[in-house]
Amino acid sequence: MNRKSTIAGAVILAVLAAVLPLSVSYYISRTHSIEAEQRHLTEYGSWTIERSSIAVSDAISALHEIDAAGFSDCSEQHIDAMRLTVMNHRAIEEVGFYKNGLLGCTSWGPVTKVIAQRPADYQTADGIRVNMRIHPAVSKGHPVIAFEYKNHNVLVDPSRLVDVLVDNNMSLALANDRGDVLATLNNPDPALLKKALSTNGSGSTRDYLYATYRVPGWVAIAAERQDYAFAGFRRQRNYMLPIAILLACIMIAAIVLVLRRRLSPLAELEIAVRKREFINHYQPIMELATGRCIGAEALVRWRRPDGSLTPPNFFIPLAEESGLIREITDQLIQLAIDEMHAALSADPEMHIAINLCAADIETGRPLESLALALAARRLPTSSIWLEATERGFIHADEARESLGRAQKAGHPIAIDDFGTGYSSLGLLHSLPLDVLKIDKSFVDAIGTDSASSTVTGHIIDIARQLDLEVVAEGIEQQQQADYLRSHGVRYGQGWLFAKAMPRDEFLAFYGKHRRASAA
Ligand code: C2E
Ligand code: MG
Ligand code: MG
């Protein structure tokens, strides 16, 4: 993932981190309060059923009681017994007696008007006939429910069936199992009742929350307006909001932290190593007298996922500091051999120079894998030059030991950037070296009257004294090349000849320049 998509991903995550806790807390508060409210409504439903079953049982026991008294004549004793029944049963308002399909007498007394017995709306499982809404002809009261058994009936005020204490926001209803509503409290919405009766358990409409409570034969419905029910939700949301905001802040902080780490140069370098994003470019090394190419220096480039190339000076110091350079060196050695083995085995005079970091110069760590890689391709060790800078000679004994091993194995050893460090002549003399690379700064000084210009000649002398081959780095002008050649420098490298280039370009260049002397 490149930098841009990492940042884009982090922004998306941060937005989610902000939105998620808030919406989860909203969702939890809402479901909690809906569940709590519906439990509450279900409780009211069960109380309604409890109250109504007390009233209905009372009415039925009154019916059985008056029937058991055995009267069927509307005599004074009969009417007294009916009155006594009304007195003894709180749920009933009136008792009546039908004779030959006409109301003969009630607990009020004999009936003189002709009042026909109405067919029942329905009959309960235990044989009680129910008229859901009749207007008492005798008392002229409000509509009541009539329960009939044999020839007697008792009238029950519907409000007794929903005799539950509720506040004004809640409405109740009692219906039979056929869906007929027998009694209501606080005028429940008819559409709501219709929906509630067709469902089981609890539910909601646009305006109401409701719960149904069923027992055999009966169903109670308790409903509440949503805005009232959600007062609890708002309370709970207010508790949860600060927690959700805190959580969102923590998550966003964590994302920013991870992003900063992920975008840190070191993290990027670690990913590049893991994804093997390093490639070699090859800069030709030329024989100055003939213009013949004798090989190349492998120079690392970091190819980013977007295709751009980062030069080594931007990441080698960090790679050395963090130790990642070891893995990078191993990858580059393997790459150089994989890319160049065919050309190297076709031309034993050709070489590839590889740069080693200070730590590897001291320990000689890459030598073993280098030997294995060369053996696998049947290449001579002499085809790989090793370049060491003076920074690698700080622990001179270790450097001497490991460079000695490398030289014994057959690798030509070059001292790179010569003249920029502080190595004494004595130290140089004691090191196993084959090649001295004059640093570009001394090549730049040629033909100028800077102090370094005189040093260039001395460096060439030192190389001669130490019996080292010389490669001059960074030659950009013909005049520099002429000077170096006339002072006995055999090899040169620089933009005058070619810049560092990818493998195929270099091989084409090499093909053109390998026999330049003969031409
Ligand atoms: P170096 O080993 O001294 O490599 C020579 C540097 O000089 C290269 O820069 C090369 O491109 C540049 N150069 C060559 N000719 C000219 C010229 O005519 N004019 C100018 N202006 N520059 C020229 P590069 O490739 O940027 O490498 C910089 C340094 O990074 C190298 O210096 C070397 O110390 C280090 N480096 C490069 N590749 C590796 C590697 O694979 N491993 C390690 N450990 N270090 C590497
Ligand atoms: Mg070098
Ligand atoms: Mg150099």
Side-chain angles (χ1 to χ4, degrees), residues 57 178 363 417 423 491:
S57 328
R178 303 170 351 137
T363 59
D417 303 340
S423 315
Y491 303 114

Side-chain angles (χ1 to χ4, degrees), residues 56-308:
V56 170
S57 328
D58 191 40
I60 291 171
S61 77
L63 272 176
H64 286 303
E65 199 178 293
I66 189 67
D67 179 62
F71 294 109
S72 58
D73 52 1
C74 285
S75 61
E76 240 173 73
Q77 291 89 329
H78 186 181
I79 291 168
D80 283 349
M82 290 199 283
R83 285 182 184 151
L84 198 65
T85 305
V86 174
M87 299 283 285
N88 287 342
H89 294 273
R90 284 185 53 206
I92 62 174
E93 311 289 323
E94 194 180 313
V95 180
F97 178 74
Y98 287 101
K99 202 169 181 181
N100 303 325
L102 296 175
L103 188 62
C105 51
T106 73
S107 44
W108 293 91
V111 176
T112 49
K113 273 182 34 198
V114 178
I115 300 169
Q117 187 173 14
R118 272 176 46 179
D121 289 327
Y122 72 99
Q123 184 162 338
T124 64
D126 41 7
I128 306 291
R129 297 183 301 279
V130 183
N131 264 310
M132 293 189 294
R133 219 178 143 76
I134 65 166
H135 290 269
V138 180
S139 65
K140 300 280 186 215
H142 54 268
V144 291
I145 302 169
F147 293 92
E148 289 179 16
Y149 182 63
K150 294 186 184 163
N151 289 329
H152 283 98
N153 73 1
V154 292
L155 305 185
V156 175
D157 185 336
S159 66
R160 295 221 181 256
L161 301 181
V162 286
D163 185 15
V164 177
L165 216 65
V166 293
D167 60 35
N168 290 338
N169 299 296
M170 190 182 288
S171 51
L172 298 176
L174 181 79
N176 61 20
D177 53 2
R178 303 170 351 137
D180 306 313
V181 177
L182 277 84
T184 60
L185 182 67
N186 289 344
N187 303 316
D189 176 32
L192 161 83
L193 289 183
K194 201 169 164 212
K195 181 166 183 205
L197 281 168
S198 66
T199 53
N200 244 338
S202 46
S204 61
T205 63
R206 202 168 61 85
D207 297 325
Y208 294 95
L209 284 183
Y210 66 81
T212 58
Y213 190 90
R214 289 173 189 272
V215 292
W218 301 99
V219 47
I221 297 142
E224 202 169 37
R225 286 196 71 83
Q226 292 234 17
D227 43 7
Y228 177 77
F230 283 140
F233 158 61
R234 280 188 285 275
R235 256 195 318 279
Q236 196 162 14
R237 192 189 56 190
N238 290 348
Y239 289 133
M240 288 198 71
L241 199 65
I243 301 172
I245 290 174
L246 185 73
L247 208 71
C249 290
I250 292 173
M251 281 166 74
I252 290 171
I255 289 166
V256 170
L257 211 75
V258 170
L259 181 69
R260 280 184 57 179
R261 281 200 52 192
R262 168 69 180 73
L263 292 180
S264 77
L266 182 58
E268 282 197 290
L269 200 60
E270 278 168 355
I271 293 167
V273 170
R274 210 169 53 234
K275 294 192 169 173
R276 306 179 87 86
E277 288 176 0
F278 301 99
I279 57 163
N280 277 324
H281 276 188
Y282 298 92
Q283 186 174 35
I285 299 173
M286 315 298 290
E287 191 172 43
L288 294 177
T290 61
R292 183 171 69 105
C293 179
I294 61 156
E297 177 179 3
L299 293 163
V300 64
R301 266 85 186 110
W302 176 1
R303 188 166 52 199
R304 306 278 186 140
D306 64 4
S308 65

Side-chain angles (χ1 to χ4, degrees), residues 297 355 387 416 437 473:
E297 177 179 3
N355 291 283
E387 294 192 12
D416 199 0
K437 293 188 83 170
E473 292 186 289

Side-chain angles (χ1 to χ4, degrees), residues 406-444:
Q407 196 182 46
K408 217 175 261 163
H411 296 291
I413 310 294
I415 177 166
D416 199 0
D417 303 340
F418 184 75
T420 56
Y422 300 96
S423 315
S424 69
L425 209 56
L427 172 68
L428 284 184
H429 200 66
S430 73
L431 287 170
L433 296 173
D434 302 288
V435 180
L436 182 150
K437 293 188 83 170
I438 302 176
D439 189 67
K440 179 177 183 301
S441 55
F442 300 106
V443 174
D444 287 343

Side-chain angles (χ1 to χ4, degrees), residues 323-506:
L324 286 171
I325 189 69
R326 287 195 286 273
E327 178 61 28
I328 296 176
T329 304
D330 289 349
Q331 288 182 14
L332 292 173
I333 287 175
Q334 192 59 53
L335 194 64
I337 291 173
D338 288 348
E339 286 184 334
M340 288 298 172
H341 74 92
L344 288 170
S345 36
D347 186 349
E349 282 181 28
M350 180 190 185
H351 78 271
I352 297 295
I354 286 171
N355 291 283
L356 293 183
C357 70
D360 283 344
I361 293 161
E362 284 173 11
T363 59
R365 191 196 55 86
L367 291 177
E368 206 173 312
S369 51
L370 190 53
L372 285 174
L374 286 170
R377 299 291 192 177
R378 297 174 193 279
L379 289 173
T381 37
S382 59
S383 61
I384 299 293
W385 290 15
L386 299 179
E387 294 192 12
T389 57
E390 287 171 82
R391 278 180 294 124
F393 306 149
I394 295 169
H395 301 108
D397 290 339
E398 284 93 332
R400 193 175 299 115
E401 195 274 324
S402 65
L403 289 180
R405 263 194 295 140
Q407 196 182 46
K408 217 175 261 163
H411 296 291
I413 310 294
I415 177 166
D416 199 0
D417 303 340
F418 184 75
T420 56
Y422 300 96
S423 315
S424 69
L425 209 56
L427 172 68
L428 284 184
H429 200 66
S430 73
L431 287 170
L433 296 173
D434 302 288
V435 180
L436 182 150
K437 293 188 83 170
I438 302 176
D439 189 67
K440 179 177 183 301
S441 55
F442 300 106
V443 174
D444 287 343
I446 294 169
T448 67
D449 45 11
S450 74
S452 305
S453 64
T454 53
V455 180
T456 317
H458 292 306
I459 291 176
I460 297 168
D461 287 343
I462 292 170
R464 197 169 294 131
Q465 279 171 35
L466 293 174
D467 198 20
L468 301 176
E469 283 293 1
V470 180
V471 178
E473 292 186 289
I475 304 174
E476 291 181 346
Q477 295 162 16
Q478 188 59 49
Q479 172 206 351
Q480 295 164 339
D482 295 342
Y483 172 93
L484 290 161
R485 193 182 57 241
S486 64
H487 283 76
V489 173
R490 196 158 169 207
Y491 303 114
Q493 177 184 353
W495 294 356
L496 176 65
F497 312 107
K499 288 191 175 180
M501 52 192 135
R503 191 258 312 251
D504 291 344
E505 267 179 58
F506 166 71

